[in-house]
Amino acid sequence: MTLDLPAPTAAQLYLVGRFACRVGDADLRLTPTAERVLAFLALARRPVRRHQLAGTLWPDVTDRQALARLRSALWKVPAAHRASLVEADTTTVALHATATVDLYDLDTTGPDDDGAGAPIPRGELLPGWCEEWVLVERERHRQLRLHALEARSARACALGHHLEALEAGLEAVAQEPLRESAHRRVIEVHLAEGNAAEALGQYETFRRLLRAELGLAPSDTMRALVRPLLGRPAD
């Protein structure tokens, strides 16, 4: 006779802005080591060989010791929720297929997004974590988020959704004040609404900031946006 085991309760991992874990409606407290195991698996987005995972998380001990620490970390995940978070066999470990990760929302934000799609995660990836494997993914997340915000702004502006376009553009500017393409999105929205003074103000804010911080001038592409408003070179 075969018993039908209940399906694991869906788990959610939050890596943007902080590390948090929920299983069903319960917040799950984990050891720092278990947090790093789950975070690594979430960022890998695929099954990881046990030796690779252990060697990355514990590079200063022997392979045998690292594997022992990995086994210990996995067993310290509360038994009642372990099946919802991890899938493991003798050679690989993976985040459970049903687990969701807030970081993955960026994967579904494409060029046709009109501003009403999935929320773009706000904040830094795993702030305060200094491991190299986190730093690489943190920069990837930052760049993906900036491009997603700019794409959302451009698409919403083209559809006449100026408020959504402005919000996305300003959020990109706030995240990276020296990013010219983000400022251009904001200027384009102001121009689409016929707000010449707002467009010139945004340009001037960026021009002064760029000169003060880097000693540079805006690109010809950006100057061309506001040049018709003055009838002469914007600078």
Side-chain angles (χ1 to χ4, degrees):
M1 179 178 179
T2 302
L3 296 177
D4 293 329
L5 298 177
T9 304
Q12 304 93 42
L13 285 183
Y14 303 93
L15 308 182
V16 179
R18 84 287 192 208
F19 181 97
C21 178
R22 288 179 62 85
V23 178
D25 296 326
D27 292 319
L28 191 61
R29 295 182 65 86
L30 300 167
T31 66
T33 302
E35 288 183 357
R36 275 161 169 73
V37 171
L38 293 176
F40 188 98
L41 295 175
L43 295 180
R45 302 170 186 246
R46 56 174 174 76
V48 180
R49 294 186 66 83
R50 285 177 176 266
H51 280 84
Q52 178 191 354
L53 176 56
T56 301
L57 295 182
W58 296 280
D60 299 326
V61 301
T62 66
D63 290 347
R64 184 174 180 178
Q65 291 171 322
L67 287 169
R69 292 186 183 185
L70 174 60
R71 287 193 296 271
S72 176
L74 292 174
W75 276 106
K76 286 180 181 178
V77 176
H81 303 302
R82 193 179 303 136
S84 300
L85 289 165
V86 176
E87 296 177 326
D89 56 30
T90 57
T91 58
T92 64
V93 186
L95 198 66
H96 195 279
T98 62
T100 61
V101 183
D102 59 349
L103 184 69
Y104 298 173
D105 287 343
L106 280 175
D107 295 343
T108 60
T109 304
D112 294 331
D113 171 40
D114 63 0
I120 298 174
R122 292 185 176 185
E124 185 179 77
L125 176 67
L126 295 171
W129 294 34
C130 301
E131 291 87 342
E132 184 176 352
W133 53 272
V134 175
L135 299 179
V136 171
E137 287 299 319
R138 183 178 295 155
E139 177 59 18
R140 177 179 179 273
H141 168 69
R142 189 181 76 86
Q143 290 293 337
L144 286 176
R145 186 170 187 275
L146 285 167
H147 279 88
L149 287 168
E150 291 176 4
R152 176 170 290 187
S153 179
R155 178 66 176 173
C157 185
L159 294 173
H161 302 167
H162 296 132
L163 177 58
E164 292 84 356
L166 191 59
E167 288 178 340
L170 288 173
E171 193 169 344
V173 167
Q175 180 173 334
E176 184 48 76
L178 290 172
R179 187 176 174 91
E180 181 176 304
S181 55
H183 285 271
R184 288 205 305 266
R185 296 291 83 78
V186 175
I187 291 173
E188 287 167 354
V189 177
H190 288 319
L191 292 174
E193 292 187 292
N195 293 325
E198 298 276 8
L200 287 171
Q202 188 71 32
Y203 171 82
E204 185 63 15
T205 295
F206 176 71
R207 186 187 70 80
R208 291 180 178 181
L209 180 63
L210 192 63
R211 175 176 292 178
E213 294 293 329
L214 300 177
L216 299 175
S219 69
D220 291 340
T221 300
M222 188 164 189
R223 284 199 290 264
L225 284 175
V226 297
R227 186 173 293 129
L229 300 177
L230 299 178
R232 62 181 188 276
D235 288 334

